[in-house]
Amino acid sequence: MRLIISFLLFFLLNTAFAQQSDAKITEEKYLLLQDKIRLNLNANVDSALVYAHQLAKSNNNKHLAFANGAISCLLQIKGDTKQSKEKYKKALQYLDKMPESVDKTQTTSFVYNYGGLAEWNRGNFSNALEIYQKGMKLSLQINDITQIFKFKINIALINGEVGNYQLAIKNLRQLDEFVDKNEGFFTKEQLLNNKSTVNRGLASSYESYFMKNLSKRYLLDSAEYYYKRTINYSQNFTQNKIAAKLSLGNVYNWKGDYKSAEKTYYDVVFLANQNNLPVALCVANYNLGDIHFTTKKYDKALVFFKKCDSLSFVTNSNEIDYLKSNYYQAKIYNIQKKPELAYKHSKIYLDNYEKFEEKLNKETLEVNYKQGVDGLTDEMVSIEKKYKSEVLLNRALRIFYVLLFVGIVFLLIKNIRDKNKAHKKMNALIEEFKANIEKKNNAEIDIIEEKEEIFETEEVHLKKENITLSIDEAKENKIVEKLLALENKLEYLNADFTLPYVAKKIKTNTTYLSYVVNKRFGKSFGEYSNELKINYVINEMITNHMYRKYSTQAIAESVGFKNAVSFAKSFRKRTGVSPAQFASNI
């Protein structure tokens, strides 16, 4: 009996000691767990969560703030928004308990970085941007180069997410110089990882920019160049290397260099198998199937599409690959005159299209799905209609199924007609808007815009001076020429596109600049600047379906407005409706 009691006491004491040891995590162990969490954040979320929960056993407020910030981000990646928000709130509470110090400032910037990533994963780009900007200020205060890089890269990538590809490219190029300039602040591994991330961001921005301007094929050369640089910098970063190779294969595909594309996708297959990455393997097999379909090697294409289908069931993350794979299989069987198989795969496509339609429209799919999805549904409907009666008759189904088929076709036709009516109405609206812009640009008449209720003191003063000011016509033309050059570079999307900034940029003074804008454009500089921004937004809304999905705040920030209220006011003044109403009508 005494032996049993002694054993129990020994067990309890050891358990208590172990718990106490967990609570007293040393600074060295804290830094080690930090690194493990960061290394596994993208590669293995579950492993990162294990390390974060280990750190959460500490009784140190700094450790607890970092741990809960990381857990918040990781839970959001896994789709648990409720728990993610609760953990972020906890992280902020632990920060409040820390005394004011450099340590607290740095830890706060860490937590903000995770908070921004969580908002990004929720699709809240404006919230993420706001958090990153706060974190940037803190990191600048203590000159934390590593964190400054993280905030800068995330802000640049968010610009790419909302379609500001030129601004993203500009920011990323500056960031590349920043990394080189501060090379000594990073370990060799950090330096390579940073260079890999920046180059991948540049490549993706050029590729996405090409997708909006298919005639500018030189953009593909830039994308190819930066994807290759990414691969060179990613020898120790498998995830980045695979992602870059997949995208490089897409670039070759766009260029019609199918041999290089095929070789690149086979490299991805090898790496994905070697590192047990079924999601990437599924994408690579789909892309190989796509190449063989394009080159009319249909039997070979079917082999890869079927591999893609099998992998998509395993991963539960490749729904779009599965959907498009069945689209191409239906087309192949249609070409091969195999009605039952063509019908089977067209039906799979149509049954799943509505479910995945939202995912098909996400900006993030542009990286690996560059072939487009417009008109796929109509084509599948035609294949289904072509073979459905034949298949039903061959199987001798009863009249009930025939009536059901007729009903489905009727609903499809009605749905298509309704969509056509909506498109006609919207096209009329767009044409009207384009006609108004053209009329305004071509008509040589003086337009007196309604003045803003409040003018900045400096601009009012400049207007008074402009009444008596007169300058040489050649000088006026030079100023207008430089202004148009800035417009072509989309400089007006920057928040600092102000009268003093532009005057300095084109090497004139604010008085002359204000005078020329008033004389040539019939408006104040502020009105001129706002009109450029609003016209850009209108054009993006008409031509880019993703742009219409962003919040008013995100759109406002993407064109340099300081807040959503002033942007909405300028937009309504220009169009007569709110941004949301305009997007909804489109």
Side-chain angles (χ1 to χ4, degrees):
M1 187 67 181
R2 287 180 182 176
L3 184 63
I4 294 172
I5 292 170
S6 299
F7 176 77
L8 287 172
L9 285 171
F10 176 77
F11 176 77
L12 289 170
L13 286 169
N14 270 283
T15 303
F17 178 76
Q19 289 174 345
Q20 190 176 13
S21 297
D22 282 340
K24 292 182 180 178
I25 291 177
T26 63
E27 188 68 12
E28 184 180 357
K29 187 173 181 182
Y30 165 60
L31 294 174
L32 181 64
L33 287 171
Q34 256 193 8
D35 287 340
K36 288 182 176 180
I37 292 166
R38 287 167 175 156
L39 285 171
N40 286 278
L41 184 71
N42 295 317
N44 192 325
V45 174
D46 290 328
S47 294
L49 271 171
V50 169
Y51 294 125
H53 282 301
Q54 282 182 23
L55 186 56
K57 293 177 182 178
S58 175
N59 57 10
N60 183 307
N61 288 325
K62 179 174 75 170
H63 301 170
L64 290 167
F66 184 92
N68 280 276
I71 292 169
S72 169
C73 174
L74 293 163
L75 287 173
Q76 187 56 55
I77 292 172
K78 290 175 75 70
D80 192 343
T81 300
K82 184 179 178 182
Q83 285 291 322
S84 171
K85 289 181 177 180
E86 288 178 6
K87 291 295 182 182
Y88 188 66
K89 189 176 178 182
K90 270 191 174 183
L92 297 178
Q93 289 169 352
Y94 285 120
L95 284 172
D96 287 339
K97 294 177 183 179
M98 291 179 66
E100 293 300 325
S101 62
V102 172
D103 222 12
K104 179 179 180 179
T105 302
Q106 186 180 52
T107 306
T108 305
S109 75
F110 293 159
V111 172
Y112 281 172
N113 188 47
Y114 285 127
L117 287 171
E119 289 293 345
W120 190 342
N121 275 279
R122 292 181 196 123
N124 299 332
F125 300 125
S126 60
N127 291 349
L129 187 63
E130 185 179 345
I131 293 173
Y132 287 144
Q133 287 168 341
K134 287 180 183 177
M136 175 79 82
K137 288 179 182 177
L138 294 176
S139 297
L140 287 169
Q141 283 176 21
I142 58 175
N143 196 33
D144 187 342
I145 299 298
T146 302
Q147 281 300 109
I148 291 171
F149 169 81
K150 288 179 182 178
F151 287 121
K152 280 179 176 286
I153 187 72
N154 287 336
I155 289 171
L157 294 176
I158 279 184
N159 273 314
E161 287 279 6
V162 298
N164 287 337
Y165 302 120
Q166 287 176 294
L167 185 57
I169 290 166
K170 178 182 175 183
N171 291 342
L172 287 162
R173 282 185 166 178
Q174 290 172 347
L175 191 54
D176 199 30
E177 293 174 5
F178 174 84
V179 172
D180 291 337
K181 183 179 176 182
N182 295 282
E183 183 177 339
F185 286 91
F186 305 109
T187 65
K188 183 179 179 180
E189 188 176 37
Q190 286 175 332
L191 182 65
L192 290 172
N193 196 11
N194 292 347
K195 295 289 282 186
S196 169
T197 305
V198 170
N199 279 278
R200 185 181 166 196
L202 276 165
S204 180
S205 296
Y206 275 112
E207 188 183 6
S208 298
Y209 190 24
F210 165 75
M211 289 301 299
K212 288 178 62 181
N213 303 271
L214 295 176
S215 61
K216 298 181 179 180
R217 299 191 67 80
Y218 62 87
L219 293 170
L220 287 174
D221 295 331
S222 296
E224 180 183 347
Y225 171 75
Y226 285 109
Y227 278 132
K228 286 179 177 178
R229 283 185 56 135
T230 304
I231 293 165
N232 288 336
Y233 284 119
S234 302
Q235 297 309 313
N236 297 325
F237 310 107
T238 306
Q239 295 278 350
N240 254 18
K241 188 176 182 179
I242 288 176
K245 277 187 171 288
L246 275 172
S247 296
L248 179 61
N250 291 341
V251 170
Y252 288 138
N253 210 344
W254 273 109
K255 286 184 167 186
D257 186 357
Y258 303 121
K259 187 175 180 180
S260 295
E262 184 179 6
K263 181 181 180 302
T264 306
Y265 291 141
Y266 272 122
D267 287 346
V268 174
V269 169
F270 173 78
L271 288 168
N273 276 319
Q274 193 178 47
N275 293 278
N276 191 26
L277 298 170
V279 173
L281 185 60
C282 183
V283 177
N285 275 286
Y286 166 76
N287 287 345
L288 283 164
D290 179 55
I291 286 176
H292 292 308
F293 174 83
T294 304
T295 53
K296 298 184 179 180
K297 298 173 183 175
Y298 299 127
D299 289 331
K300 211 169 181 181
L302 285 170
V303 171
F304 288 106
F305 286 137
K306 290 184 187 304
K307 285 183 182 178
C308 170
D309 287 355
S310 298
L311 286 163
S312 67
F313 286 116
V314 174
T315 65
N316 291 320
S317 301
N318 295 88
E319 296 98 334
I320 305 302
D321 304 278
Y322 175 69
L323 182 67
K324 292 182 69 179
S325 166
N326 278 278
Y327 160 75
Y328 283 114
Q329 287 179 73
K331 287 191 71 172
I332 290 170
Y333 287 126
N334 182 39
I335 292 166
Q336 294 180 340
K337 307 297 183 187
K338 295 180 180 178
E340 291 202 12
L341 289 170
Y343 172 73
K344 172 188 170 183
H345 289 283
S346 65
K347 185 163 175 30
I348 289 173
Y349 177 88
L350 290 172
D351 287 348
N352 288 277
Y353 178 79
E354 197 171 320
K355 178 182 174 184
F356 300 137
E357 188 172 15
E358 184 181 348
K359 291 185 180 181
L360 280 168
N361 292 329
K362 284 186 178 177
E363 185 77 14
T364 51
L365 292 173
E366 284 191 10
V367 176
N368 290 318
Y369 306 106
K370 297 298 184 183
Q371 307 308 314
V373 295
D374 295 338
L376 303 191
T377 304
D378 291 339
E379 189 169 3
M380 286 300 98
V381 169
S382 67
I383 289 176
E384 186 190 41
K385 287 167 70 177
K386 179 179 178 181
Y387 292 122
K388 190 169 186 178
S389 296
E390 183 179 343
V391 172
L392 291 174
L393 289 170
N394 289 341
R395 294 178 182 176
L397 291 176
R398 295 182 180 182
I399 191 67
F400 171 77
Y401 294 103
V402 175
L403 292 173
L404 181 63
F405 166 65
V406 172
I408 291 172
V409 172
F410 173 79
L411 289 174
L412 284 171
I413 293 171
K414 184 178 183 299
N415 187 39
I416 291 168
R417 284 179 176 173
D418 290 342
K419 283 184 179 179
N420 286 339
K421 286 181 182 177
H423 279 302
K424 284 180 182 178
K425 186 176 180 180
M426 197 60 242
N427 286 337
L429 180 63
I430 293 169
E431 289 304 320
E432 181 183 349
F433 177 78
K434 288 180 179 177
N436 288 338
I437 291 178
E438 186 177 352
K439 182 179 178 182
K440 181 176 179 181
N441 289 338
N442 294 333
E444 296 181 355
I445 59 172
D446 293 328
I447 301 173
I448 302 176
E449 300 268 356
E450 177 185 355
K451 306 302 179 186
E452 296 281 352
E453 294 177 7
I454 301 173
F455 293 92
E456 292 182 2
T457 306
E458 182 183 3
E459 192 159 344
V460 173
H461 176 67
L462 289 171
K463 282 190 174 182
K464 289 179 180 177
E465 289 184 355
N466 289 344
I467 296 171
T468 57
L469 185 64
S470 177
I471 62 176
D472 180 68
E473 185 176 354
K475 194 170 185 178
E476 280 184 31
N477 291 338
K478 195 68 178 173
I479 290 173
V480 171
E481 182 183 332
K482 289 180 178 179
L483 272 176
L484 293 175
L486 291 181
E487 284 185 32
N488 289 335
K489 293 178 182 177
L490 303 180
E491 286 279 346
Y492 55 83
L493 297 180
N494 297 332
D496 57 1
F497 191 80
T498 60
L499 186 67
Y501 170 84
V502 175
K504 185 177 180 181
K505 188 88 173 174
I506 64 176
K507 297 180 181 177
T508 186
N509 58 54
T510 53
T511 304
Y512 280 169
L513 178 57
S514 178
Y515 170 80
V516 170
V517 171
N518 270 279
K519 181 180 177 184
R520 292 296 184 93
F521 300 110
K523 61 198 72 175
S524 71
F525 183 86
E527 292 165 339
Y528 160 76
S529 172
N530 283 354
E531 186 169 292
L532 289 174
K533 295 174 189 285
I534 299 304
N535 283 345
Y536 177 87
V537 171
I538 292 171
N539 183 64
E540 285 298 292
M541 281 190 171
I542 291 173
T543 60
N544 183 354
H545 69 277
M546 281 307 305
Y547 203 82
R548 299 193 290 271
K549 293 183 179 293
Y550 301 135
S551 66
T552 301
Q553 179 70 32
I555 295 174
E557 290 172 353
S558 75
V559 293
F561 276 88
K562 291 182 180 178
N563 59 69
V565 176
S566 60
F567 163 70
K569 182 179 178 183
S570 295
F571 190 95
R572 185 179 286 276
K573 179 182 175 183
R574 182 84 175 94
T575 65
V577 295
S578 71
Q581 289 171 322
F582 191 85
S584 178
N585 286 336
I586 294 177

